[in-house]
Amino acid sequence: MFVALLIFLATLVCVIWRPRNLGIGWIAMAGMVLALAAGVVSLDDVPRVWAIVWDATFTLVALILISLILDAAGFFEWAALHVARWGGGSGPRLFVLIILLGAVMAAFFANDGAVLILTPLVLEMLHALKFERRAALAFMLAVGFTVDATSLPLMISNLTNILTANYFHIAFTDYARVMVAVNFAALATTLVVLWLYFRKAIPPRFDVSALDSPRDAIRDPFVFYAGWAVLALLLAGYFLAHPLGVPVSAVAGGAALLLVLATGREHFPRRQSKAVIPLKTLLHEAPWQVVWFSLGMYLVVFGLHNHGVTALLGALLETYAQTGAWLGTLLAGTTFAALSALMNNLPTVMLDNLAIEHAQLAPQLHELFVYANVVGTGIGPKMTPLGSLATLLWLHVLEGRGMKVTWGEYLRTGMALTLPVLVVTLSALTGWLWLLGG
């Protein structure tokens, strides 16, 4: 167990700090090779782990590729400018609308895709409105928090959701039936805590005339309008996928392919209009490293499972189960959240799933703990900067655009915001499943 834990910690530290700017995929694969060499995992474990992670991994890659193409077409800038104009010059109203936009984007484009697109868009908007750093930081922290805390409603809203739903064979419709309502509780609480925490930093008014026209944001009209049709097909495909036995990644991948064809239409003899989006650049920017990261990192985590860590966590869950539905779910969810905050939610979600499967739980508590894992690994990472890939991406984007958020600033904010949202959302989960069961 000590060797497995040491390899895991070394891999995790290197993934976070990225020595010599190595890709997270290559670092995770190096950790996998080390785990194989040390005998922590065997070659037989490789196909077992790949069977768990491949669908979620390719779904995330496809969703981020869709996001990048739509962003290049001006889709999200158009939406953000409309939202800003709906603010009507009121700073508090703009703050609420940006939070709602972040929640919608996280729901349909995953938290990682949302943070990559929305962070630079909102930051540029705030610069155009000449917001001072204190106000801009409030908006950016709100964006960073929202895209994770409200990434619960659909299977595709977070990589951890897909991994958990696939592991326990939960259909897209069944998952949404539970988690859409729970996400509304998370969103409502997020709005309250963000407003209470940042209300003094938000300017009362802003100049709407400083904003560009939404129409001017559309850089490729053909892809922009094609995007609406593709998104409608994508949502319908999600609901049809499970009954037809189609993996979610095939639906997302098909939608991404349609947008790729629309973007590269200049290569077709009967093209509708001149293409303006640099397709090769976008394909290069797609997160292919996530594929290698998923296989490598989760195989390293599987080494912890092989050497008893998940058995210990499973025994702890059995102890929680003895305290009753509400308290047991609260304890399990906060444990999942703390582990996510300390060692990142992507490796944590696999450990949690394996532990839940290992634990001897009554059917009701088993279902509660499965969804508590979704909540804990979705919201809990916001307590620390290393808790989620979305937060690390958010920090990287901000620093690249001249706004550095120190770990001290983040920790103070993250701890204050996360705990109330986590407790309310876990309580809402318990109550909602009780109502559904009744």
Side-chain angles (χ1 to χ4, degrees):
M1 184 186 294
F2 176 75
V3 174
L5 186 60
L6 190 63
I7 293 173
F8 168 75
L9 291 175
T11 306
L12 181 62
V13 168
C14 290
V15 164
I16 293 168
W17 294 109
R18 293 181 61 195
R20 298 188 178 183
N21 290 321
L22 285 173
I24 60 172
W26 306 130
I27 294 171
M29 291 298 286
M32 180 190 78
V33 171
L34 189 59
L36 286 167
V40 170
V41 292
S42 67
L43 288 174
D44 291 337
D45 291 325
V46 176
R48 293 177 63 189
V49 171
W50 184 241
I52 295 171
V53 305
W54 73 268
D55 190 34
T57 300
F58 286 118
T59 300
L60 179 63
V61 171
L63 285 174
I64 294 182
L65 182 57
I66 290 170
S67 300
L68 291 172
I69 291 174
L70 291 178
D71 181 52
F75 189 93
F76 298 114
E77 186 177 353
W78 172 88
L81 286 169
H82 271 294
V83 165
R85 288 179 177 274
W86 293 341
S90 168
R93 190 186 304 169
L94 177 64
F95 186 73
V96 171
L97 288 172
I98 290 296
I99 291 171
L100 294 176
L101 177 61
V104 171
M105 287 187 62
F108 293 102
F109 299 99
N111 58 333
D112 298 321
V115 81
L116 276 173
I117 303 303
L118 196 56
T119 301
L121 277 181
V122 174
L123 192 58
E124 288 178 11
M125 182 191 303
L126 298 176
H127 284 160
L129 295 174
K130 296 181 171 56
F131 280 19
E132 61 181 20
R133 186 185 185 278
R134 182 168 176 251
L137 183 60
F139 274 83
M140 298 319 302
L141 283 166
V143 167
F145 186 85
T146 299
V147 295
D148 268 354
T150 61
S151 65
L152 309 175
L154 305 176
M155 269 181 63
I156 48 85
S157 304
N158 196 321
L159 182 58
T160 57
N161 302 357
I162 310 172
L163 287 165
T164 300
N166 282 351
Y167 192 85
F168 292 104
H169 308 292
I170 303 172
F172 186 92
T173 305
D174 294 334
Y175 178 95
R177 176 172 169 262
V178 174
M179 294 306 293
V180 166
V182 174
N183 193 67
F184 276 119
L187 175 57
T189 314
T190 295
L191 280 166
V192 172
V193 298
L194 287 173
W195 171 253
L196 292 175
Y197 195 88
F198 292 120
R199 66 188 186 280
K200 294 181 180 178
I202 300 169
R205 304 293 302 172
F206 67 91
D207 183 10
V208 179
S209 65
L211 297 170
D212 294 333
S213 168
R215 183 181 297 275
D216 294 338
I218 302 174
R219 290 180 286 277
D220 190 325
F222 184 82
V223 174
F224 176 86
Y225 291 110
W228 288 103
V230 170
L231 291 179
L233 290 172
L234 182 62
L235 187 59
Y238 287 144
F239 285 98
L240 294 172
H242 188 80
L244 296 176
V246 177
V248 177
S249 58
V251 176
L257 179 60
L258 288 175
L259 281 179
V260 166
L261 292 174
T263 302
R265 62 191 179 277
E266 63 183 10
H267 301 294
F268 295 91
R270 295 182 180 181
R271 60 184 183 272
Q272 299 296 316
S273 59
K274 184 179 179 181
V276 298
I277 298 174
L279 182 58
K280 289 183 179 179
T281 302
L282 291 182
L283 290 174
H284 178 73
E285 291 176 356
W288 304 111
Q289 284 281 321
V290 172
V291 177
W292 308 116
F293 173 82
S294 292
L295 177 60
M297 193 70 198
Y298 289 127
L299 200 64
V300 171
V301 171
F302 208 73
L304 296 177
H305 165 68
N306 287 344
H307 294 275
V309 173
T310 52
L312 292 174
L313 184 55
L316 186 62
L317 296 179
E318 291 172 4
T319 302
Y320 292 161
Q322 297 172 14
T323 65
W326 175 76
L327 184 56
T329 302
L330 192 62
L331 290 170
T334 51
T335 298
F336 300 148
L339 289 173
S340 296
L342 292 173
M343 64 182 208
N344 192 269
N345 64 342
L346 293 180
T348 296
V349 73
M350 174 172 275
L351 279 178
D352 298 344
N353 288 337
L354 292 166
I356 293 168
E357 184 184 46
H358 185 274
Q360 299 298 312
L361 301 169
Q364 180 196 22
L365 284 169
H366 181 272
E367 185 179 23
L368 276 168
F369 286 10
V370 166
Y371 286 110
N373 188 23
V374 172
V375 173
T377 54
I379 299 174
K382 304 313 294 180
M383 287 188 278
T384 67
L386 56 83
S388 73
L389 178 60
T391 302
L392 295 171
L393 290 171
W394 175 82
L395 288 167
H396 178 71
V397 171
L398 286 182
E399 188 171 358
R401 292 176 179 260
M403 177 178 278
K404 184 173 178 61
V405 180
T406 67
W407 278 44
E409 282 180 311
Y410 187 93
L411 286 168
R412 287 193 300 273
T413 305
M415 294 294 290
L417 297 176
T418 303
L419 292 176
V421 177
L422 179 65
V423 171
V424 171
T425 307
L426 288 169
S427 299
L429 168 66
T430 308
W432 181 242
L433 277 178
W434 179 79
L435 286 174
L436 290 177

